[in-house]
Amino acid sequence: MGTTEDSAAAPTPATTDWNQVQASPEFADLRRRLRGFVFPMAGLFLAWYLLYVLLADYAHGFMSTKLFGNITVGLVFGLLQFVSTFVITGLYVRFANRVVDPAADKIRHEIEGDGQ
């Protein structure tokens, strides 16, 4: 059980100046790195999805082209939507583990006064 002296040494969420944390260079770098991954990846995925929707709506002949058996270009593109979602998720998890989480842990340790 902690004493009053222990609790006075480490800042609590109520006493932390979150505006100062948000204005720190470390937090700005974390936000820049996260946005540098998320925004382009979201844009790429939305463009890919929009292409799929537009092709499905306006390129019926192309999308109904049979590749083998009853498998069409449209079906393959539709399944690739799922594949791309899983790939993006995997890339984000790897990015978060390598870049975001260490930077966020460093900021958290500085706020909590762990000294790491």
Side-chain angles (χ1 to χ4, degrees), residues 5-57:
E5 294 169 11
D6 292 339
S7 62
T12 64
T15 62
T16 301
D17 183 2
W18 295 110
N19 291 327
Q20 183 181 5
V21 172
Q22 187 177 7
S24 72
E26 294 85 6
F27 187 84
D29 183 55
L30 174 61
R31 186 174 50 229
R32 181 189 55 77
R33 288 180 179 201
L34 184 63
R35 288 179 177 175
F37 179 87
V38 171
F39 290 162
M41 194 61 68
L44 181 66
F45 180 77
L46 289 173
W48 159 237
Y49 181 73
L50 181 62
L51 174 68
Y52 172 67
V53 170
L54 291 174
L55 286 173
D57 196 32

Side-chain angles (χ1 to χ4, degrees), residues 2-114:
T3 64
T4 307
E5 294 169 11
D6 292 339
S7 62
T12 64
T15 62
T16 301
D17 183 2
W18 295 110
N19 291 327
Q20 183 181 5
V21 172
Q22 187 177 7
S24 72
E26 294 85 6
F27 187 84
D29 183 55
L30 174 61
R31 186 174 50 229
R32 181 189 55 77
R33 288 180 179 201
L34 184 63
R35 288 179 177 175
F37 179 87
V38 171
F39 290 162
M41 194 61 68
L44 181 66
F45 180 77
L46 289 173
W48 159 237
Y49 181 73
L50 181 62
L51 174 68
Y52 172 67
V53 170
L54 291 174
L55 286 173
D57 196 32
Y58 296 108
H60 297 278
F62 173 69
M63 294 295 269
S64 63
T65 301
K66 290 190 178 194
L67 298 175
F68 49 92
N70 287 330
I71 307 299
T72 63
V73 171
L75 180 61
V76 170
F77 276 19
L79 292 174
L80 286 175
Q81 292 291 318
F82 289 100
V83 171
S84 65
T85 300
F86 290 120
V87 168
I88 290 170
T89 301
L91 290 172
Y92 175 75
V93 168
R94 190 169 128 214
F95 173 77
N97 287 337
R98 294 173 65 186
V99 176
V100 176
D101 290 347
D105 286 343
K106 182 180 178 210
I107 293 170
R108 181 176 52 84
H109 288 303
E110 288 173 4
I111 291 169
E112 293 175 351
D114 290 351

